[in-house]
Amino acid sequence: MVRKIYKFLWKVMLWFFALSILSVIIFKWVPIPFTPLMITRAIENKIEGKEAYLNHDWESLEDISPNLQKAVIASEDGYFLKHHGFDFNAMQKAFKNNNRGRKIKGGSTISQQTAKNVFLWQGRSYIRKGLEAYFTVLIELIWGKERIMEVYLNSIEMGDGIYGAQAAAQYWYKKEAVNLSRNEAAGIAAILPNPRKFKAANSSSYINKRKDKILRVMRQTGKIEY
């Protein structure tokens, strides 16, 4: 009986590794139509009696303003182009802050956020974090930085029911993602910690302060080379 259980678990593991690697390979080239978060939000809205609104338009990275690419790096992951998926200094700092009872910060890189958004569910369990690390390694090896940024900017939540750069640019500024100015890009990046609560346009003083900080970092950032 025990032997059969081990055999079954071994097969499950093999299938998991095979399917996960295959899915990462496929999504290296194929646009990602939806993410688990999009489904979760739609279900939440349905349960709450709200409209299950979802705006998501895929655009290639060349059709997304470099200003937005700089803005999310400045806001979310300053060492994105240098690390291999994990910023251990940021993780250590977040761990210390959280232990001191300060506002919880994850220390997650853009690569980790992308892995979570595309392949996993939301939450803070050790199992989810372990799988996040696994998928982060896979996308760093198979996709590379340019594809990770492309998927990230097309899949993250940028407003209530708004996913990806194109949908966000049209929703907040009534323009195409490729035409976003530095100020507009910084506005979108500034709301990423809680895009359903904050506004990228006509922002609060808190978001304007975040925007100014992002803009200062962007001015010091040279041309992005993947």
Side-chain angles (χ1 to χ4, degrees):
M1 184 66 179
V2 174
R3 201 171 175 181
K4 286 184 178 180
I5 293 173
Y6 277 125
K7 192 174 181 181
F8 171 76
L9 292 175
W10 176 249
K11 286 183 178 179
V12 170
M13 285 179 61
L14 287 177
W15 273 105
F16 168 75
F17 285 123
L19 291 175
S20 60
I21 293 170
L22 179 62
S23 65
V24 173
I25 292 172
I26 290 172
F27 286 134
K28 179 178 173 65
W29 293 284
V30 177
I32 292 152
F34 57 85
T35 67
L37 179 61
M38 295 177 191
I39 298 171
T40 300
R41 293 287 191 241
I43 293 172
E44 288 174 352
N45 286 338
K46 199 72 176 177
I47 291 173
E48 294 173 6
K50 300 177 182 177
E51 182 183 357
Y53 178 75
L54 193 157
N55 190 343
H56 177 229
D57 299 309
W58 184 276
E59 292 289 341
S60 63
L61 193 61
E62 63 185 17
D63 292 325
I64 298 175
S65 172
N67 288 321
L68 186 58
Q69 298 172 49
K70 286 184 179 182
V72 295
I73 290 175
S75 172
E76 300 292 298
D77 185 2
Y79 293 97
F80 173 67
L81 297 173
K82 297 178 181 179
H83 63 61
H84 298 289
F86 307 93
D87 185 342
F88 294 105
N89 289 331
M91 291 167 69
Q92 186 178 30
K93 185 177 179 181
F95 180 76
K96 289 180 179 178
N97 285 336
N98 294 340
N99 280 344
R100 290 170 184 163
R102 296 178 182 175
K103 187 178 179 181
I104 293 177
K105 295 180 180 180
S108 295
T109 63
I110 284 174
S111 301
Q112 288 174 275
Q113 292 179 48
T114 304
K116 177 188 71 177
N117 287 338
V118 174
F119 299 104
L120 301 169
W121 64 95
Q122 303 297 304
R124 293 185 176 276
S125 69
Y126 287 111
I127 292 175
R128 209 271 297 155
K129 291 299 289 185
L131 289 172
E132 178 187 297
Y134 167 72
F135 278 105
T136 298
V137 171
L138 282 185
I139 64 175
E140 280 280 339
L141 289 173
I142 297 174
W143 288 1
K145 295 294 187 183
E146 188 171 2
R147 178 60 174 175
I148 290 172
M149 178 59 75
E150 183 174 61
V151 172
Y152 177 78
L153 290 178
N154 274 288
S155 62
I156 58 172
E157 194 173 30
M158 294 180 168
D160 190 7
I162 308 301
Y163 301 91
Q166 179 68 3
Q170 292 179 340
Y171 180 79
W172 293 115
Y173 302 113
K174 305 294 187 284
K175 59 168 56 179
E176 302 294 304
V178 71
N179 295 322
L180 287 170
S181 69
R182 283 196 306 177
N183 282 320
E184 292 163 346
I188 292 174
I191 68 170
L192 293 184
N194 196 337
R196 294 200 296 167
K197 176 182 178 181
F198 300 121
K199 295 181 179 180
N202 300 317
S203 309
S204 65
S205 59
Y206 169 72
I207 292 299
N208 285 333
K209 287 178 182 177
R210 281 184 54 83
K211 189 188 302 185
D212 290 340
K213 184 178 179 180
I214 291 168
L215 283 167
R216 285 197 298 271
V217 177
M218 288 173 67
R219 291 188 192 102
Q220 299 168 7
T221 305
K223 183 180 179 182
I224 298 176
E225 295 182 0
Y226 296 103

